[in-house]
Amino acid sequence: MKKILLLHLLVFVSATLPIHSVASDEVETLKCTIIADAITGNTLYEAGECTRRVSPCSSFKLPLAVMGFDSGILQSPKSPTWELKPEYNPSPRDRTYKQVYPALWQSDSVVWFSQQLTSRLGVKRFTEYVKKFGYGNQDVSGDSGKHNGLTQSWLMSSLTISPKEQIQFLLRFVAHKLPVSEAAYDMAHATTPQYQAAEGWVVHGKSGSGWLRDSNGKINENRPQGWFVGWAEKNGRQVVFARLEIGSVKSDVPGGSKAREDILVELPVLMGNK
């Protein structure tokens, strides 16, 4: 009887824990999948730990696109085209992208383009958008003491979000309930990468790859994390989804790529009887 009572107590405590961020030494592995009906908002499938907050990494490019098109800084999937400059301090990967337009930015996940977009938005507008979107913990302060929130906050820094919160943002996006223009929805939709899945499902989504940080704040490459978030359509039906995976060993495959490939295979199966 004592064991049963203890079990019930543990279940209750786990269910009532608040959303919080994950440090690399907290958990071995983590996987969450949530699928919700885009019209009703009802959860159709949920498995795994879905309340832990981690950095959105490049999955943040979806709300960034909405901000960019709503503000008028971005005009269409092909405009504007920005040229790479040395002072942008791009990663070795991003140095190969000399000229980038919105659709290419999203499909190839070019970080320096994101940072130029937020720099053009400025701290005030950027902060206001994140708060109006109710996005995760809404903390765009960046790394402690470095005053780099405008260009780094979503890159394994201060801004964090849980899969459940990703779903809430996506539901507001597909229902056009964000405080932005109709053109912003249309253009963000048009620039979001699209994939063909089995059983006739067309999937629109953005991946995001990164790593957890250890208790000293250093990136731990043995703790890769990957997001794939977005919406899927078939025969007039629409669902939103969020997939988060956190591993416990170093991998040559970006976490976001793995999460994307996994959900493209699994979503048609999971929706087969829904």
Side-chain angles (χ1 to χ4, degrees):
M1 176 63 79
K2 288 183 178 179
K3 289 183 178 180
I4 294 174
L5 290 174
L6 179 59
L7 178 61
H8 282 298
L9 178 60
L10 289 171
V11 170
F12 172 77
V13 171
S14 297
T16 55
L17 284 174
I19 289 174
H20 64 284
S21 300
V22 178
S24 68
D25 49 2
E26 272 191 53
V27 291
E28 285 298 316
T29 61
L30 182 152
K31 182 183 292 185
C32 162
T33 305
I34 308 180
I35 304 172
D37 186 281
I39 303 300
T40 66
N42 293 335
T43 300
L44 303 174
Y45 178 86
E46 180 175 342
E49 173 52 83
C50 298
T51 62
R52 304 295 183 97
R53 283 174 171 161
V54 299
S55 171
C57 295
S58 283
S59 72
F60 190 57
K61 284 184 173 67
L62 178 52
L64 277 179
V66 180
M67 298 177 201
F69 287 115
D70 183 64
S71 64
I73 295 171
L74 306 181
Q75 286 90 49
S76 76
K78 295 290 187 178
S79 179
T81 295
W82 292 338
E83 293 190 4
L84 174 61
K85 297 179 181 180
E87 57 265 32
Y88 295 170
N89 193 29
S91 67
R93 172 191 179 274
D94 279 4
R95 287 175 197 152
T96 62
Y97 294 93
K98 306 298 185 183
Q99 294 184 323
V100 179
Y101 49 87
L104 180 61
W105 161 55
Q106 291 281 22
S107 65
D108 287 29
S109 214
V110 183
V111 174
W112 68 256
F113 192 99
S114 299
Q115 294 170 326
Q116 286 307 299
L117 171 57
T118 54
S119 295
R120 286 164 169 78
L121 280 169
V123 173
K124 185 174 184 293
R125 279 199 295 180
F126 179 53
T127 302
E128 288 175 350
Y129 272 123
V130 172
K131 291 189 178 300
K132 287 191 296 186
F133 291 0
Y135 192 87
N137 67 348
Q138 303 174 41
D139 183 353
V140 292
S141 60
D143 300 325
S144 179
K146 294 187 177 180
H147 308 290
N148 61 2
L150 190 59
T151 57
Q152 296 291 325
S153 57
W154 66 94
L155 300 171
M156 296 169 288
S157 185
S158 59
L159 185 63
T160 58
I161 191 167
S162 71
K164 282 184 176 289
E165 290 170 323
Q166 291 268 27
I167 290 292
Q168 292 306 308
F169 170 77
L170 290 162
L171 286 171
R172 292 180 70 194
F173 173 77
V174 298
H176 291 205
K177 291 185 177 179
L178 297 170
V180 298
S181 66
E182 285 300 309
Y185 292 112
D186 294 340
M187 292 296 100
H189 188 291
T191 58
T192 301
Q194 179 177 306
Y195 307 88
Q196 186 66 52
E199 307 297 331
W201 283 97
V202 178
V203 178
H204 310 256
K206 190 70 197 73
S207 59
S209 304
W211 300 272
L212 298 186
R213 293 183 183 270
D214 62 23
S215 56
N216 295 317
K218 294 183 178 180
I219 289 173
N220 184 350
E221 292 191 4
N222 291 317
R223 304 309 311 280
Q225 71 165 64
W227 285 104
F228 188 51
V229 303
W231 65 97
E233 300 160 334
K234 177 184 177 182
N235 297 333
R237 188 181 189 190
Q238 188 177 55
V239 298
V240 299
F241 63 85
R243 174 66 166 257
L244 172 64
E245 300 182 9
I246 297 176
S248 59
V249 295
K250 189 174 181 178
S251 175
D252 293 332
V253 179
S257 298
K258 183 178 184 302
R260 181 183 65 232
E261 295 309 309
D262 287 347
I263 202 69
L264 289 176
V265 171
E266 294 174 21
L267 185 143
V269 177
L270 295 174
M271 294 304 299
N273 296 319
K274 301 294 183 180

